[in-house]
Amino acid sequence: MKKPRALVTGGAGFLGSHLCDALLGEGYFVLAVDNLLTGRLANIEHLRNDSRFELQQFDINQPFDFGNVDYVFHFACPASPVDYTAHGIATLKVGSLGTFHALDAALKYGAKYFVSSTSECYGDPMEHPQKETYWGNVNPIGPRSVYDESKRFTEAVTMAYHRYHQLDTRIVRIFNTYGPRMQLNDGRVIPNFMKQALRGEDLTVYGDGSQTRSFCYVTDEIEGFLRLAKSAEHFPVNIGNPTEFTILECAQRVLAVTGSKSKIVREPLPPDDPKQRRPDITKARTLLGWEPKIDLETGLRFSLDYFRRAALV
Ligand SMILES: NC(=O)c1ccc[n+]([C@@H]2O[C@H](COP(=O)([O-])OP(=O)(O)OC[C@H]3O[C@@H](n4cnc5c(N)ncnc54)[C@H](O)[C@@H]3O)[C@@H](O)[C@H]2O)c1
């Protein structure tokens, strides 16, 4: 039987590259399409000699046709605050133009389509934890809006292709995910703390550190994607770890796992920084039989080698 072919936009990024690995494991031929704006060839270096894997270095804000595909996974988008702040317009473009082009590729070949959305769609939430039915509290003109509104538009256009063109679509709302291949300097909590701890620098906590986040280890997250991809659900599904930590607790876990003697220091909270963020994963549990298995301390230990190598370069 002919093997299915998946196209992964953003396939050289953190999550995209792990997804490529997982899809190869599921028996797909995989075509990664990435312009390397925030991704790195190092993330897919191990696949270079795999005949079932191909990379197209390409900006998906331009229309594309790379031949027949069975599944389009649209993961291209700067994702960390540092990246989307540096590339604000590119972030809005890939969420709009890039999303149209990814949807059109799926439509042309009658492929299924899966898009990575985000918990940022909920903004600074007034409802806690966040269910998929919550519409969010987003500042449309704040500094984070280049990302938040880009992703909200991505969801809107995806639902429109489903409704108007009967495209077989999936939307995952990803909550903070961490693990090997994250960029060290992307401003996200875990790489930041890991880098600071492993270099013996002070750990920077913004505000009083009582704001909460939940962190999902990357292999748990990818397993959630695969289950959603195989399901028939068209409305968004939260995939993330519901165990909530304050930023201060997270800093303490990082110090424990790395054995670092670094101190924790405080800096002012950036504008629009959400105070609480935790997924309600009832839908993923009931619909997909999915829940995360790896707790924060274990995930940090699994990631330690990678961060140590990255931090000491
Ligand atoms: N990592 C998380 O915790 C998280 C949380 C919520 C949502 N997400 C979503 O998951 C997806 C992947 O995030 P990530 O953490 O892997 O980020 P990443 O920056 O590592 O990966 C994004 C990839 O997209 C590529 N890209 C960006 N613009 C492009 C364009 N115009 N054409 C082609 N390629 C382009 C980048 O080069 C990069 O390889 C994003 O859509 C992001 O919004 C991630």
Side-chain angles (χ1 to χ4, degrees), residues 9-17 33-40 43 58-61 74-80 83 90 94 98 116-120 147 151 173-178 181-183 186 188 225:
T9 75
F14 163 50
L15 291 178
S17 63
V33 182
D34 200 301
N35 66 351
L36 303 180
L37 179 67
T38 57
R40 288 173 302 152
N43 290 341
F58 184 83
D59 182 344
I60 63 154
N61 294 336
H74 179 30
F75 275 66
C77 184
S80 74
D83 285 339
V94 77
S116 58
S117 184
T118 168
S119 56
E120 299 289 336
Y147 184 63
K151 292 309 227 183
R173 289 197 183 135
I174 304 170
F175 284 66
N176 282 340
T177 304
Y178 69 100
R181 301 186 199 157
M182 287 187 94
Q183 292 177 67
D186 74 3
R188 287 189 266 200
F225 298 168

Side-chain angles (χ1 to χ4, degrees), residues 64-69 72 101-111 161 167:
F64 60 86
D65 182 352
F66 295 114
N68 189 50
V69 282
V72 173
H101 298 148
L103 283 159
D104 285 336
L107 197 59
K108 174 163 187 188
Y109 292 105
Y161 269 58
L167 191 69

Side-chain angles (χ1 to χ4, degrees), residues 280-294:
D280 181 320
I281 60 162
T282 310
K283 188 170 177 184
R285 277 198 178 104
T286 49
L287 196 75
L288 312 175
W290 176 87
E291 62 182 0
K293 297 196 164 42
I294 297 170

